[in-house]
Every structure is written in structure tokens, then in C-alpha cells.
């Protein structure tokens, strides 16, 4: 699959998460994900678009949920959520003041950048790199890594478990002068051509090509 993705997307640098290149963005986790993936396979995806649940009850109830939280954040309160649906575009990039744990319940592609590559609130899409995850792969995405919605690798869409500190991505309690702070523990910029996100108040800080992952 990775070879095919590289051939179909020559305008973006494609890597495997087991490559040395990924070490700047995160690390691969050696954990058993079979039970988690099996539950995700039973959860219906939206008919179109993307759905994100900060806290997914089916995943929270799993016997290994507490172990996953402790492994991820060392006894800090955490939430196990789910992002799934249909997406092929870069569209935006976000970062948190914490790492994020992702478990690929389907094969998927993550488009990643680095916070230090930003110039003020601006970011060149030419810096983005693509990383392929096999079904069942688990990774830690570092807090310094820019990331957003996964991209699918077939017509069936994607499904990705998202583990974060409790409250992350919830609605802010008040307004801030920081134009990138969009939700709790979520700093977000979008592509300048993504009018849907701009209308929601997201700062259009990504310039260049809004990459589409072909499969």
C-alpha cells in the first residue's frame, strides 16, 4: 500500500511510521490494539464527512481502557475518543500542549508538520509530510507535531482512536486574544482555501497546496 501511495502522490513526501523520519513527529507504541480495533469495527461511520467524539462510550468501557490512559498520560485524567468518516484533504493543522495517542482502526494516512516550522501564525504546506499507518498501529504524536484529520486509503473511509488529556477539544469557557486557540488545549489553523473552517472562526494560516491523498 505504501508503495502505491507514493506513486499516486508524487508531490508529497511519503513515509512509513517505522522510518527514521517519523522520530521527529512521534513514536510507535508497542501495545495490543486488537480489542480496541474490534470495537471500532462495530461502530457505524457517518454516511459522509467526518465525525469526532471526544469520548467514545464503547471504547471507554473496554477492560483495557484504564491501562491505555495510564500508558498514555501516567494517571492524568484522559479521554478515549474516535475520529472516523471520509477525508482525503489536508484542510487544517492543529497542535496541543500534550501528546496525542492514535490507534489506526483502519489503514490511514496522517499529514504532519512541526510547530517550529510555523512563522508566526503562518505555515507553508510544502513542509507537510505524509505517514502511512497499517490497521492496528498505535503511535504517540508529540505535542510539537502539527496534525489534523486522518486521510482514508480506500472508499470505505477511515477510523482512528484518539486519546488525549480530559477536556481537550471541548468548547472554551471564554474568549482569548490568541487567534489560534480554537478549543480547550487545541490550537488550530486551516488552509486559506478552506472556507468552511474559516466561517467557523479558524485562522487561515496554511498557504500553498491543500494536498489531496490519492489512493
Amino acid at each position: 500500500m505504501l508503495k502505491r501511495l507514493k506513486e499516486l502522490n508524487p508531490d508529497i513526501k511519503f513515509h512509513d511510521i517505522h522510518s527514521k523520519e517519523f522520530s521527529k513527529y512521534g513514536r510507535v507504541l508497542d501495545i495490543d490494539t486488537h480489542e480496541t480495533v474490534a470495537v471500532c469495527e462495530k461502530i457505524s461511520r457517518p454516511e459522509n464527512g467526518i465525525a469526532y467524539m471526544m469520548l467514545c462510550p464503547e471504547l471507554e468501557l473496554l477492560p483495557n481502557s484504564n491501562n491505555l490512559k495510564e500508558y498514555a498520560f501516567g494517571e492524568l485524567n484522559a479521554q478515549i475518543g474516535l475520529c472516523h468518516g471520509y477525508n482525503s484533504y489536508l484542510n487544517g493543522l492543529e497542535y496541543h500542549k500534550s501528546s496525542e495517542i492514535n490507534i489506526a482502526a483502519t489503514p490511514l494516512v496522517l499529514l504532519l508538520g512541526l510547530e517550529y516550522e510555523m512563522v508566526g501564525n503562518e505555515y507553508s504546506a510544502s513542509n507537510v509530510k505524509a505517514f502511512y499507518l497499517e490497521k492496528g498501529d498505535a503511535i504517540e504524536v508529540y505535542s510539537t507535531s502539527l496534525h489534523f484529520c486522518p486521510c482514508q486509503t480506500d472508499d470505505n473511509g477511515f477510523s482512528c482512536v484518539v486519546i488525549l488529556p480530559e477536556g481537550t477539544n471541548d468548547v472554551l469557557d471564554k474568549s482569548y486574544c490568541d487567534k489560534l486557540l480554537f478549543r480547550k488545549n487545541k490550537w488550530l489553523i486551516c488552509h486559506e482555501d478552506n472556507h468552511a473552517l474559516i466561517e467557523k472562526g479558524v485562522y487561515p494560516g496554511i498557504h500553498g497546496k491543500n494536498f489531496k491523498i490519492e489512493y
Side-chain angles (χ1 to χ4, degrees):
M1 173 60 79
L2 180 59
K3 181 181 178 181
R4 175 177 170 79
L5 289 170
K6 285 183 176 180
E7 291 172 349
L8 291 175
N9 300 276
D11 55 345
I12 188 169
K13 295 177 181 178
F14 243 104
H15 302 275
D16 186 279
I17 58 169
H18 301 283
S19 67
K20 183 179 179 181
E21 186 63 32
F22 184 64
S23 64
K24 292 186 290 187
Y25 302 85
R27 66 187 179 105
V28 179
L29 304 179
D30 183 18
I31 57 176
D32 186 354
T33 62
H34 290 88
E35 188 177 45
T36 303
V37 170
V39 169
C40 291
E41 290 177 332
K42 297 176 183 178
I43 301 174
S44 299
R45 291 180 201 140
E47 292 185 5
N48 52 66
I50 304 154
Y52 171 66
M53 292 179 279
M54 283 176 46
L55 191 152
C56 179
E58 294 92 332
L59 295 173
E60 288 277 346
L61 290 172
L62 281 174
N64 72 339
S65 64
N66 285 334
N67 290 337
L68 284 175
K69 292 178 183 179
E70 290 172 1
Y71 183 90
F73 296 109
E75 294 190 2
L76 288 178
N77 291 337
Q79 62 198 29
I80 303 179
L82 181 67
C83 183
H84 60 170
Y86 304 89
N87 177 58
S88 296
Y89 288 90
L90 168 63
N91 284 332
L93 289 167
E94 68 179 12
Y95 62 93
H96 314 292
K97 299 297 184 180
S98 60
S99 289
E100 173 177 315
I101 305 301
N102 289 155
I103 298 173
T106 62
L108 55 84
V109 172
L110 289 180
L111 299 177
L112 302 178
L114 294 165
E115 187 181 352
Y116 70 74
E117 294 169 336
M118 296 181 69
V119 180
N121 293 329
E122 314 301 319
Y123 187 81
S124 172
S126 62
N127 291 315
V128 170
K129 294 179 182 177
F131 292 90
Y132 174 66
L133 281 74
E134 294 276 8
K135 177 180 176 180
D137 280 345
I139 60 171
E140 175 184 356
V141 178
Y142 297 146
S143 61
T144 50
S145 296
L146 306 176
H147 61 281
F148 200 46
C149 181
C151 295
Q152 64 202 66
T153 60
D154 58 47
D155 291 341
N156 295 318
F158 73 91
S159 181
C160 182
V161 176
V162 180
I163 308 175
L164 284 161
E166 190 175 275
T168 299
N169 291 320
D170 205 351
V171 177
L172 293 168
D173 295 327
K174 59 182 181 179
S175 298
Y176 292 87
C177 59
D178 185 343
K179 64 178 68 176
L180 303 192
L181 183 56
F182 188 68
R183 293 284 187 270
K184 291 182 178 180
N185 193 27
K186 179 190 185 82
W187 286 260
L188 175 64
I189 57 176
C190 68
H191 193 276
E192 58 190 346
D193 294 335
N194 192 314
H195 301 293
L197 285 178
I198 293 172
E199 288 176 2
K200 293 180 179 179
V202 180
Y203 180 75
I206 302 175
H207 312 287
K209 185 170 183 178
N210 188 16
F211 290 108
K212 179 184 180 184
I213 299 303
E214 304 287 351
Y215 54 82

